[in-house]
Amino acid sequence: MDEGLLKQMRFEAEEIFRCSLEAVDPYEAVKRFVRVQGDRLILGTKDRPPVELDLTKFRRISLVGGGKATAPMARAMEDLLGNRIHKGVIVVKYGFTEKLLLTDIIEAGHPLPDTNGVKGTEKILDFLKGAGEDDLIFSLISGGGSALLPYPAGKITLEEKQELTLSLLECGAGIDEINAVRKHISSSKGGQMARAAYPATIINLMLSDVVGDKMDVIASGPFVPDSSTFKDVMEILEKYDLNDIPRVIREHIKAGLEGQIPETPKADDSIFDRINNFVIGSNIIALEAAREKAEQVGYKALILSSMVEGETREVARVHSAIAKEIARTGLPVSPPACIISGGETTVTIRGKGFGGRNQEFCLAAALDLAGLPSRVVVLSGGTDGNDGPTDAAGAIVDPDTVSRGEALGMKAIEFLDNNDAYHYFERTNDLLMTGPTNTNVMDVRLVLVR
Amino acid sequence: MDEGLLKQMRFEAEEIFRCSLEAVDPYEAVKRFVRVQGDRLILGTKDRPPVELDLTKFRRISLVGGGKATAPMARAMEDLLGNRIHKGVIVVKYGFTEKLLLTDIIEAGHPLPDTNGVKGTEKILDFLKGAGEDDLIFSLISGGGSALLPYPAGKITLEEKQELTLSLLECGAGIDEINAVRKHISSSKGGQMARAAYPATIINLMLSDVVGDKMDVIASGPFVPDSSTFKDVMEILEKYDLNDIPRVIREHIKAGLEGQIPETPKADDSIFDRINNFVIGSNIIALEAAREKAEQVGYKALILSSMVEGETREVARVHSAIAKEIARTGLPVSPPACIISGGETTVTIRGKGFGGRNQEFCLAAALDLAGLPSRVVVLSGGTDGNDGPTDAAGAIVDPDTVSRGEALGMKAIEFLDNNDAYHYFERTNDLLMTGPTNTNVMDVRLVLVR
């Protein structure tokens, strides 16, 4: 094995990963998507036709939003529009703040919502309700926005909402079912902020942390039409025999069924004529940036999918199988080849170790590739820079990783079975460290073969 | 959903699968690889430079071999060479026979070897030992050849060999370790037929049922150099604390370590100068035929890998993720797209149902694709036509499969969790039926998106 070349490939993999991070940096993503030329606002990237607005048509320009990456998004908007901004209110996770000149930042609980979140959301809803036809409002939404923008409907409390969500999780309800229920016991989710903002013009910029970038799922889609109904909610509760739910929630749903409470707004509602939804950062955008960089460095690059889910170590085996085929027959692409995939896998915890899905992916891949004469490097990293509870983003491995571990007295398979990839890679020096990145569009995986 | 188009795609998928089967039909594979022009023998396919032999240089031409698909391979050789064939001896599984004019067929036990297999192998070894420099011998090897060509070394019995293999399996030894041991307690495996045949010229034609087509693994490589040693075998037995192995085996290994019994022949042994090994049928050849047909039908086709292993339902999720990405962004290839993969996955049995890995793959994929508006068809089939213990080769599914099952009162997830895909697809009419195909190069999977 040519150690120098492997080292170079590891360096290239890290470079490609960093390029994918840059492409989904919240500040940069806003700056790339929104341009201001005099009084003209131009929205769009080089890949799609721009949308133009005449800013003089609006009396006021404001910012709202929520999510872990929303503060740098707001900073970008302040840099772009400066004093033209009349007002801003955003809700971010405790500590995920920035120095902003014109925008109020409310810090709140995540992943468990708290009263600060409710207060912040109330402030946003009140502002939206007061907006008129001459208001232009930018909404800045990012991952975590659902927990950070809670507003239980009617007399329902946060605790009662959480209790129901927990019951749904326990009885095995699917994520679409849970979302349908949550939207119907909230006054902010499922397009209800769009209703509150009518007749203002909304430009909703989203950083997606959701597989497939479904806009109604990102932060529970406060400005996006909802396709679920109170009737669906009732059927879901019946399906799982959830008779024990808080009385106030049951009454709320009953009132909804009887038409005493309005449905979440649907796609044909004319309020959406004034809503402009854009996903400005997402896993596929990160993968496309990785592809571009990989091609610059000289690889033939292939994006497999940004929607990869499933048990991590088995997903790793499929990636290893592709690496081996490239080395053997030059299929699906001939070397130098770079296979790129994204999405978010899961780890079924069987051991008591320390790690994250990206590190587990790399350890499983290292085992598959162990001892191969081919020049293969595999990188897997979380775009938020934190893989699981660790301070690493992920790891980078090659066909020598397992033997390096053996030389240190470690058996890779035992660490994998104990879900202890972090302690393995800490010693083999294969951890991928980026520090916090302020963004989150799930994971990026790279397979390099030369 | 356009039902007519889905029907067409299902038909196309089946056509593509049948083309991949044809490409690895044992009879056709031999006929494609071996051509006779007068006294010239030409070996090779259009993809590689041919090897030519002058048949007049040989006094006798003979056939040996073993495996489930070896009878049709021998028939092809008889059709090609007719009365030029001096003699033939092959060992096949009970019932896997054909009418041959010049070749003796011995039927024997598979997957458990029996005395018929030993007798047949002895006949072959005796013939090889009697061969001289003017002998040209075709060896016809296919899946199952390891069990069908057993010849325990020295005084070891078949039962003692099996006992040791079982112990190795139980203590979790890897397949490479088991193979190393087996080759060293046999007189036929690990290149030992090559030694017996010296100085004859051997043309060894192999149909591979092994991931990665490793020639030393296919039927335990009777004509292929072995890289493992008696020393490795000793270390493996020590590693797994196998002290309880039959005495005669222990003595045999000790004699080998002390040089009283020759090592299996190694790659630098000059006996291999007269051995010509060719894989004439394999999973990648099946996949390449599938790609060619898919392109004829109008799809952009991409071979992912012929080496896919791992837990079936998780492997299916990766394939579904690629299907969804194609439908959403046209990556990795834009529709109409055909993704092709091969290899052999495993199923961890959790339920009590009836099925096979290909049917399980399709049921898991059907769940992932359920309700998608996209035009997607997924086929997975075993090239031997028998998926697991069933009479189906696999299944074909689409985004409507799950709802069709629901209309019949079946929940797909329950059937999947019970490993009962056969009974599900029997009722939804999604089974893929080919009948026995006489070949086996593992599985072929197709994902079609229009």
Side-chain angles (χ1 to χ4, degrees), chain B residues 247-296:
Chain B
R247 198 174 54 91
V248 57
I249 291 185
R250 184 164 290 282
E251 280 170 4
H252 176 78
I253 293 166
K254 190 161 165 271
L257 275 171
E258 290 167 357
Q260 293 162 31
I261 295 169
E263 241 323 328
T264 50
K266 301 293 169 264
D268 57 1
D269 196 317
S270 63
I271 61 168
F272 291 109
D273 295 350
R274 290 161 195 255
I275 310 282
N276 304 277
N277 286 311
F278 301 102
V279 174
I280 62 163
S282 68
N283 191 262
I284 191 76
I285 291 172
L287 301 191
E288 280 168 346
R291 176 177 61 183
E292 197 172 315
K293 181 69 184 177
E295 284 170 353
Q296 268 175 28

Coordinates of all heavy atoms in Angstrom, one line a residue, chain B residues 247-296:
Chain B
R247 N -8.5 -36.9 16.4 CA -7.1 -37.2 16.6 C -6.4 -37.3 15.2 O -5.3 -36.8 15.0 CB -6.9 -38.5 17.4 CG -5.5 -38.7 17.9 CD -5.4 -39.9 18.8 NE -5.9 -41.1 18.1 CZ -5.1 -41.9 17.4 NH1 -3.8 -41.7 17.4 NH2 -5.6 -43.0 16.8
V248 N -7.1 -38.0 14.3 CA -6.5 -38.2 13.0 C -6.2 -36.9 12.2 O -5.3 -36.7 11.5 CB -7.3 -39.2 12.1 CG1 -8.8 -38.7 12.0 CG2 -6.7 -39.5 10.8
I249 N -7.1 -35.9 12.5 CA -6.9 -34.6 11.8 C -5.8 -33.9 12.5 O -4.9 -33.3 11.8 CB -8.2 -33.7 12.0 CG1 -9.3 -34.3 11.1 CG2 -8.0 -32.3 11.6 CD1 -10.6 -33.5 11.0
R250 N -5.7 -34.0 13.8 CA -4.6 -33.3 14.5 C -3.3 -33.9 14.0 O -2.3 -33.1 13.8 CB -4.8 -33.5 16.0 CG -3.7 -32.8 16.9 CD -4.1 -32.6 18.3 NE -5.2 -31.7 18.5 CZ -5.1 -30.4 18.5 NH1 -3.9 -29.8 18.3 NH2 -6.1 -29.6 18.7
E251 N -3.2 -35.2 13.9 CA -2.0 -35.8 13.5 C -1.6 -35.4 12.0 O -0.4 -35.2 11.7 CB -2.1 -37.4 13.5 CG -1.9 -37.9 15.0 CD -2.2 -39.3 15.1 OE1 -2.6 -40.0 14.1 OE2 -2.2 -39.8 16.3
H252 N -2.7 -35.3 11.2 CA -2.4 -34.9 9.8 C -1.8 -33.5 9.8 O -0.9 -33.2 9.0 CB -3.7 -34.9 9.0 CG -3.6 -34.4 7.6 ND1 -3.1 -35.2 6.6 CD2 -3.9 -33.2 7.1 CE1 -3.1 -34.5 5.5 NE2 -3.6 -33.3 5.7
I253 N -2.4 -32.6 10.6 CA -1.9 -31.2 10.6 C -0.5 -31.2 11.1 O 0.4 -30.4 10.6 CB -2.9 -30.3 11.4 CG1 -4.2 -30.2 10.6 CG2 -2.3 -28.9 11.6 CD1 -5.3 -29.6 11.4
K254 N -0.2 -32.0 12.2 CA 1.1 -32.0 12.7 C 2.1 -32.5 11.7 O 3.2 -31.9 11.5 CB 1.1 -33.0 13.9 CG 2.4 -33.0 14.8 CD 2.1 -33.6 16.1 CE 3.5 -33.9 16.8 NZ 3.9 -35.3 16.5
A255 N 1.8 -33.6 10.9 CA 2.6 -34.1 9.9 C 2.9 -33.0 8.8 O 4.0 -32.9 8.3 CB 2.0 -35.3 9.2
G256 N 1.8 -32.2 8.5 CA 2.0 -31.1 7.6 C 3.0 -30.1 8.1 O 3.9 -29.6 7.3
L257 N 2.8 -29.7 9.4 CA 3.7 -28.7 10.0 C 5.2 -29.2 9.9 O 6.1 -28.4 9.8 CB 3.3 -28.5 11.4 CG 2.2 -27.5 11.6 CD1 1.7 -27.5 13.1 CD2 2.7 -26.1 11.3
E258 N 5.3 -30.5 10.1 CA 6.7 -31.1 10.1 C 7.2 -31.4 8.7 O 8.3 -31.9 8.6 CB 6.7 -32.4 11.0 CG 6.5 -32.0 12.5 CD 6.2 -33.3 13.3 OE1 6.1 -34.4 12.7 OE2 6.1 -33.1 14.5
G259 N 6.4 -31.1 7.7 CA 6.9 -31.3 6.3 C 6.8 -32.7 5.8 O 7.3 -33.0 4.7
Q260 N 6.1 -33.5 6.6 CA 5.9 -34.9 6.1 C 4.9 -35.0 5.0 O 4.8 -36.0 4.3 CB 5.6 -35.8 7.3 CG 6.7 -36.0 8.3 CD 6.2 -36.5 9.6 OE1 5.3 -37.3 9.6 NE2 6.9 -36.1 10.7
I261 N 4.0 -34.0 5.0 CA 2.9 -34.0 4.0 C 3.2 -32.7 3.2 O 3.4 -31.6 3.9 CB 1.5 -34.0 4.6 CG1 1.3 -35.3 5.4 CG2 0.5 -33.7 3.6 CD1 0.1 -35.3 6.2
P262 N 3.1 -32.7 1.9 CA 3.3 -31.4 1.2 C 2.3 -30.4 1.5 O 1.1 -30.7 1.7 CB 3.3 -31.9 -0.3 CG 2.6 -33.1 -0.3 CD 2.8 -33.8 1.0
E263 N 2.7 -29.1 1.5 CA 1.8 -27.9 1.5 C 0.9 -27.9 0.3 O 1.3 -28.5 -0.7 CB 2.7 -26.7 1.5 CG 2.7 -25.7 2.7 CD 1.3 -25.5 3.4 OE1 0.3 -25.6 2.7 OE2 1.3 -25.3 4.6
T264 N -0.2 -27.2 0.4 CA -1.0 -27.0 -0.8 C -0.1 -26.1 -1.7 O 0.7 -25.3 -1.2 CB -2.3 -26.2 -0.4 OG1 -1.9 -25.0 0.4 CG2 -3.3 -27.0 0.4
P265 N -0.3 -26.3 -3.0 CA 0.6 -25.5 -3.9 C 0.4 -24.0 -3.9 O -0.7 -23.6 -3.8 CB 0.3 -26.1 -5.3 CG -1.0 -26.9 -5.2 CD -1.1 -27.2 -3.7
K266 N 1.5 -23.3 -3.9 CA 1.5 -21.8 -3.8 C 1.6 -21.2 -5.2 O 1.9 -21.8 -6.2 CB 2.6 -21.3 -2.9 CG 2.5 -21.9 -1.5 CD 1.3 -21.4 -0.7 CE 1.0 -22.1 0.6 NZ 0.0 -23.2 0.4
A267 N 1.3 -19.9 -5.2 CA 1.2 -19.2 -6.5 C 2.5 -19.3 -7.3 O 2.5 -19.2 -8.6 CB 0.8 -17.7 -6.3
D268 N 3.7 -19.4 -6.7 CA 4.9 -19.4 -7.4 C 5.3 -20.8 -7.9 O 6.4 -21.0 -8.5 CB 6.1 -18.8 -6.6 CG 6.2 -19.5 -5.3 OD1 5.5 -20.5 -5.0 OD2 7.1 -19.1 -4.5
D269 N 4.4 -21.8 -7.6 CA 4.7 -23.2 -8.0 C 4.6 -23.3 -9.6 O 3.6 -22.8 -10.2 CB 3.7 -24.1 -7.4 CG 4.2 -25.5 -7.4 OD1 4.7 -26.0 -8.5 OD2 4.1 -26.2 -6.4
S270 N 5.7 -23.9 -10.2 CA 5.7 -23.9 -11.7 C 4.6 -24.8 -12.2 O 4.2 -24.7 -13.4 CB 7.0 -24.4 -12.2 OG 7.2 -25.7 -11.7
I271 N 3.9 -25.6 -11.4 CA 2.8 -26.4 -11.9 C 1.7 -25.5 -12.5 O 1.0 -25.9 -13.4 CB 2.2 -27.4 -10.9 CG1 1.6 -26.6 -9.7 CG2 3.1 -28.4 -10.3 CD1 0.7 -27.4 -8.8
F272 N 1.6 -24.3 -12.0 CA 0.5 -23.4 -12.5 C 0.8 -22.8 -13.8 O 0.0 -22.2 -14.4 CB 0.2 -22.3 -11.4 CG -0.4 -22.9 -10.2 CD1 0.3 -22.9 -9.0 CD2 -1.7 -23.4 -10.2 CE1 -0.3 -23.5 -7.8 CE2 -2.3 -24.0 -9.1 CZ -1.6 -24.0 -7.9
D273 N 2.1 -23.0 -14.3 CA 2.3 -22.6 -15.7 C 1.4 -23.3 -16.7 O 1.2 -22.8 -17.8 CB 3.8 -22.9 -16.1 CG 4.8 -22.1 -15.2 OD1 4.3 -21.2 -14.5 OD2 6.0 -22.4 -15.2
R274 N 1.0 -24.5 -16.4 CA 0.2 -25.2 -17.3 C -1.3 -25.1 -17.0 O -2.1 -25.8 -17.6 CB 0.6 -26.7 -17.3 CG 2.0 -26.9 -18.0 CD 2.6 -28.1 -17.6 NE 4.0 -28.1 -17.9 CZ 4.5 -28.7 -19.0 NH1 3.8 -29.5 -19.8 NH2 5.8 -28.6 -19.3
I275 N -1.7 -24.3 -16.1 CA -3.1 -24.1 -15.6 C -3.6 -22.8 -16.2 O -3.0 -21.8 -16.0 CB -3.2 -24.2 -14.1 CG1 -2.4 -25.3 -13.5 CG2 -4.6 -24.1 -13.7 CD1 -3.1 -26.7 -13.6
N276 N -4.7 -22.8 -16.8 CA -5.4 -21.6 -17.3 C -6.8 -21.5 -16.6 O -7.7 -22.3 -16.9 CB -5.6 -21.7 -18.8 CG -4.2 -21.9 -19.5 OD1 -3.5 -21.0 -19.7 ND2 -3.9 -23.2 -19.8
N277 N -6.9 -20.5 -15.7 CA -8.1 -20.4 -15.0 C -9.0 -19.2 -15.5 O -8.5 -18.1 -15.7 CB -7.8 -20.1 -13.5 CG -7.3 -21.3 -12.7 OD1 -8.0 -22.3 -12.8 ND2 -6.2 -21.2 -12.0
F278 N -10.2 -19.5 -15.8 CA -11.1 -18.5 -16.3 C -12.5 -18.5 -15.6 O -13.1 -19.6 -15.5 CB -11.4 -18.7 -17.8 CG -10.2 -18.7 -18.7 CD1 -9.6 -19.9 -19.1 CD2 -9.6 -17.5 -19.1 CE1 -8.5 -19.9 -19.9 CE2 -8.4 -17.5 -19.9 CZ -7.9 -18.7 -20.3
V279 N -12.9 -17.3 -15.2 CA -14.3 -17.2 -14.7 C -15.2 -16.9 -15.9 O -15.0 -15.8 -16.5 CB -14.4 -16.2 -13.6 CG1 -15.9 -16.0 -13.2 CG2 -13.6 -16.5 -12.4
I280 N -16.0 -17.8 -16.3 CA -16.8 -17.6 -17.5 C -18.2 -17.1 -17.2 O -18.9 -16.7 -18.1 CB -16.8 -18.8 -18.4 CG1 -17.5 -20.0 -17.7 CG2 -15.4 -19.2 -18.9 CD1 -18.0 -21.1 -18.7
G281 N -18.6 -17.2 -16.0 CA -20.0 -16.8 -15.6 C -19.9 -16.3 -14.2 O -19.3 -16.9 -13.3
S282 N -20.5 -15.1 -13.9 CA -20.4 -14.6 -12.6 C -21.5 -13.5 -12.4 O -22.1 -13.1 -13.4 CB -19.0 -14.0 -12.3 OG -18.9 -12.8 -13.1
N283 N -21.6 -13.1 -11.2 CA -22.6 -12.1 -10.9 C -22.4 -10.8 -11.8 O -23.4 -10.3 -12.4 CB -22.6 -11.7 -9.4 CG -23.8 -10.9 -9.1 OD1 -23.7 -9.7 -9.0 ND2 -25.0 -11.5 -8.9
I284 N -21.2 -10.4 -11.9 CA -20.9 -9.1 -12.7 C -21.3 -9.3 -14.1 O -21.8 -8.4 -14.8 CB -19.5 -8.6 -12.5 CG1 -19.3 -7.2 -13.0 CG2 -18.5 -9.5 -13.1 CD1 -19.9 -6.1 -12.1
I285 N -21.1 -10.5 -14.6 CA -21.5 -10.8 -16.0 C -23.0 -10.7 -16.2 O -23.5 -10.1 -17.1 CB -20.9 -12.1 -16.5 CG1 -19.4 -12.0 -16.6 CG2 -21.5 -12.6 -17.8 CD1 -18.7 -13.3 -16.9
A286 N -23.7 -11.2 -15.2 CA -25.2 -11.1 -15.2 C -25.6 -9.7 -15.1 O -26.5 -9.2 -15.9 CB -25.8 -11.9 -14.0
L287 N -24.9 -8.9 -14.3 CA -25.3 -7.5 -14.1 C -25.0 -6.7 -15.4 O -25.8 -5.8 -15.8 CB -24.5 -6.8 -13.0 CG -24.7 -7.4 -11.6 CD1 -24.1 -6.5 -10.5 CD2 -26.2 -7.7 -11.3
E288 N -23.9 -7.1 -16.1 CA -23.6 -6.3 -17.3 C -24.6 -6.7 -18.4 O -24.9 -5.8 -19.2 CB -22.1 -6.7 -17.8 CG -21.1 -5.9 -17.0 CD -19.7 -6.4 -17.1 OE1 -19.5 -7.5 -17.6 OE2 -18.8 -5.6 -16.7
A289 N -25.1 -7.9 -18.4 CA -26.1 -8.2 -19.4 C -27.4 -7.5 -19.1 O -28.1 -7.0 -20.0 CB -26.4 -9.7 -19.4
A290 N -27.7 -7.3 -17.8 CA -28.9 -6.6 -17.4 C -28.7 -5.1 -17.8 O -29.7 -4.5 -18.4 CB -29.0 -6.6 -15.9
R291 N -27.5 -4.6 -17.7 CA -27.3 -3.2 -18.1 C -27.5 -3.0 -19.6 O -28.2 -2.1 -20.0 CB -25.9 -2.7 -17.7 CG -25.6 -1.3 -18.2 CD -24.2 -0.9 -17.8 NE -23.2 -1.7 -18.4 CZ -21.9 -1.6 -18.1 NH1 -21.4 -0.7 -17.3 NH2 -21.0 -2.4 -18.7
E292 N -27.0 -4.0 -20.3 CA -27.1 -3.9 -21.8 C -28.6 -3.9 -22.2 O -29.1 -3.1 -23.0 CB -26.4 -5.1 -22.4 CG -26.1 -4.9 -23.9 CD -25.2 -6.0 -24.4 OE1 -24.2 -6.3 -23.7 OE2 -25.5 -6.6 -25.5
K293 N -29.4 -4.8 -21.6 CA -30.8 -4.9 -21.9 C -31.5 -3.7 -21.5 O -32.4 -3.1 -22.2 CB -31.4 -6.2 -21.3 CG -32.8 -6.4 -21.6 CD -33.1 -6.8 -23.0 CE -34.5 -6.9 -23.4 NZ -34.7 -7.2 -24.8
A294 N -31.2 -3.2 -20.3 CA -31.9 -2.0 -19.8 C -31.7 -0.8 -20.7 O -32.6 -0.1 -21.0 CB -31.4 -1.7 -18.4
E295 N -30.5 -0.7 -21.2 CA -30.2 0.4 -22.1 C -30.9 0.2 -23.5 O -31.4 1.2 -24.0 CB -28.7 0.5 -22.4 CG -28.0 1.2 -21.1 CD -26.5 1.1 -21.1 OE1 -25.9 0.4 -22.0 OE2 -25.9 1.7 -20.2
Q296 N -31.0 -1.0 -23.9 CA -31.8 -1.3 -25.1 C -33.3 -0.9 -25.0 O -33.9 -0.3 -25.9 CB -31.8 -2.8 -25.4 CG -30.8 -3.3 -26.3 CD -30.8 -4.8 -26.4 OE1 -31.9 -5.4 -26.3 NE2 -29.7 -5.4 -26.7

